[in-house]
């Protein structure tokens, strides 16, 4: 039976460590503030924003909430970001994605001061990661590395396959696995013989965006499987990109959905916020 990699437990450990760090900063007179901007009222975004506020409160950092109307113009949003960039009392700025169609997401991300880019999406952050320099790392991939390390899963020398090439998960995930000395393959919708590629993986990261896409046929015996996906199935229950029931008896370790990768994203956002003052 596979080991279930418990993201709830590991994310709580990280938040407890951060809580201690924040307490020490407060003793030195240092406060940490995260500004969260949400445009419109997408239900999923509202849940994420609420969870981020709760996490800030839990570890002891301040949060500023800007809940803007769907009709907010790109110019108005850019003006707000400019103001927050200029505030010494704001350490991190997060614009909740997706944004309404009339706003250019790339332009918004690039306008955030890279020193306050706690999401790790700014081109400066991405560039720093690609050449091995210090900088903010995209929260989901950073959380996956912590899941592996804190579960005593060695990455060095392992065959790692990432299915998905998004800027938010797939690409930074590959670079982080490479940084940990994994041998990395990125697979995607145009990959030929996908099953053959994924079956080579000692560590398989599924970030496909399709429910239950990865079945037992895609997985090597004894592999470690990390499921980044989150979907609602036909019974309105949460499921991932991996067909958990068909895969679980074949692998050595796997993340469940929910309770695997999800909680780590917010824990690593908090990590980035706390480290923004260093």
């Amino acid at each position: 039976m596979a080991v279930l990699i418990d993201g709830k437990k590991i994310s709580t450990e990280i938040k407890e460590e951060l809580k201690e760090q924040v307490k020490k900063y407060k003793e030195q007179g240092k406060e940490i503030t995260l500004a969260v901007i949400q445009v419109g009222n997408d239900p999923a975004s509202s849940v994420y924003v609420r969870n981020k506020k709760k996490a800030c409160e839990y570890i002891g950092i301040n949060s500023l909430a800007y809940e803007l109307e769907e009709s907010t113009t790109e110019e108005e949003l850019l003006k707000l970001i400019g103001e927050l960039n200029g505030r010494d009392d704001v350490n991190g700025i997060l614009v909740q994605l997706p944004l309404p169609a009339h706003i250019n997401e790339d332009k918004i991300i690039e306008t955030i001061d890279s020193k306050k880019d706690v999401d790790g999406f700014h081109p400066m952050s991405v560039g720093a990661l690609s050449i091995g320099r210090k900088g903010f790392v995209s929260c989901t991939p950073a959380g996956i590395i912590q899941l592996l390390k804190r579960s005593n899963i060695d990455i060095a020398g392992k065959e790692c396959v990432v299915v998905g090439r998004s800027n938010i998960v797939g690409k930074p995930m590959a670079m982080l696995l490479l940084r940990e000395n994994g041998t990395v393959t990125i697979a995607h919708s145009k990959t030929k013989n996908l099953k053959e590629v994924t079956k080579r993986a000692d560590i398989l990261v599924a970030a496909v965006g399709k429910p239950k896409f990865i079945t037992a046929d895609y997985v090597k015996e004894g592999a470690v499987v990390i499921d980044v996906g989150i979907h609602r199935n036909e019974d309105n229950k949460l499921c991932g990109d991996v067909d958990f029931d068909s895969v679980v008896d074949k692998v050595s370790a796997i993340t469940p959905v929910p309770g695997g990768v999800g909680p780590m994203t917010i824990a690593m956002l908090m990590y980035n916020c706390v480290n923004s003052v260093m």
Side-chain angles (χ1 to χ4, degrees):
M1 180 69 180
V3 171
L4 285 190
I5 300 173
D6 189 343
K8 281 186 185 170
K9 179 174 169 284
I10 294 170
S11 68
T12 301
E13 282 169 17
I14 291 168
K15 285 190 281 191
E16 289 300 329
E17 291 162 15
L18 293 172
K19 203 173 181 180
E20 282 304 306
Q21 214 172 326
V22 170
K23 192 177 159 195
K24 284 177 188 162
Y25 279 144
K26 285 189 172 175
E27 285 162 5
Q28 296 164 20
K30 291 178 186 172
E31 288 282 339
I32 301 168
T33 301
L34 169 67
V36 180
I37 303 169
Q38 181 182 358
V39 183
N41 52 7
D42 175 75
S45 291
S46 298
V47 171
Y48 289 136
V49 166
R50 201 158 53 240
N51 288 340
K52 284 163 187 173
K53 286 183 200 164
K54 273 193 211 161
C56 286
E57 200 177 326
Y58 184 78
I59 69 166
I61 72 176
N62 307 316
S63 66
L64 303 173
Y66 296 88
E67 287 158 10
L68 310 179
E69 295 291 328
E70 183 95 17
S71 57
T72 299
T73 65
E74 184 174 284
E75 196 180 345
E76 287 167 330
L77 181 54
L78 291 169
K79 184 169 179 280
L80 172 58
I81 292 167
E83 287 165 9
L84 294 169
N85 281 341
R87 281 179 57 171
D88 292 337
D89 63 330
V90 172
N91 306 85
I93 301 169
L94 184 153
V95 178
Q96 183 65 41
L97 303 179
L99 288 166
H102 65 277
I103 297 176
N104 183 326
E105 284 188 2
D106 288 341
K107 195 171 177 183
I108 299 305
I109 289 165
E110 286 166 28
T111 302
I112 297 169
D113 182 343
S114 61
K115 295 185 189 73
K116 299 186 179 190
D117 167 43
V118 287
D119 253 337
F121 297 162
H122 193 283
M124 292 280 283
S125 305
V126 176
L129 173 61
S130 70
I131 59 172
R133 290 195 182 164
K134 282 186 79 173
F136 293 117
V137 176
S138 186
C139 301
T140 300
I144 290 167
I145 294 293
Q146 286 300 314
L147 282 178
L148 293 168
K149 286 186 167 181
R150 290 173 185 246
S151 303
N152 299 313
I153 294 164
D154 197 21
I155 301 167
K158 297 281 178 67
E159 281 268 2
C160 306
V161 176
V162 180
V163 189
R165 53 177 166 179
S166 71
N167 291 336
I168 290 173
V169 180
K171 289 176 190 170
M173 187 73 251
M175 285 191 278
L176 284 176
L177 289 165
L178 199 55
R179 186 190 273 188
E180 298 295 331
N181 301 311
T183 301
V184 184
T185 301
I186 304 178
H188 45 77
S189 59
K190 299 284 188 286
T191 299
K192 290 177 180 171
N193 305 319
L194 181 61
K195 286 181 184 175
E196 287 173 30
V197 175
T198 57
K199 280 186 99 157
R200 295 202 309 260
D202 301 310
I203 298 171
L204 178 62
V205 180
V208 191
K210 293 181 181 175
K212 299 188 178 184
F213 180 83
I214 301 290
T215 59
D217 302 346
Y218 287 82
V219 179
K220 179 167 97 173
E221 193 81 41
V224 173
V225 175
I226 305 291
D227 190 349
V228 181
I230 188 148
H231 315 275
R232 293 263 173 202
N233 67 12
E234 54 282 358
D235 303 322
N236 205 32
K237 286 187 178 168
L238 288 173
C239 67
D241 287 353
V242 177
D243 184 6
F244 184 89
D245 293 338
S246 84
V247 167
V248 68
D249 291 329
K250 195 174 182 182
V251 299
S252 60
I254 188 168
T255 57
V257 177
V261 172
M264 296 300 294
T265 302
I266 289 178
M268 297 316 290
L269 171 68
M270 295 300 108
Y271 175 87
N272 282 349
C273 289
V274 171
N275 284 282
S276 65
V277 298
M278 292 171 80

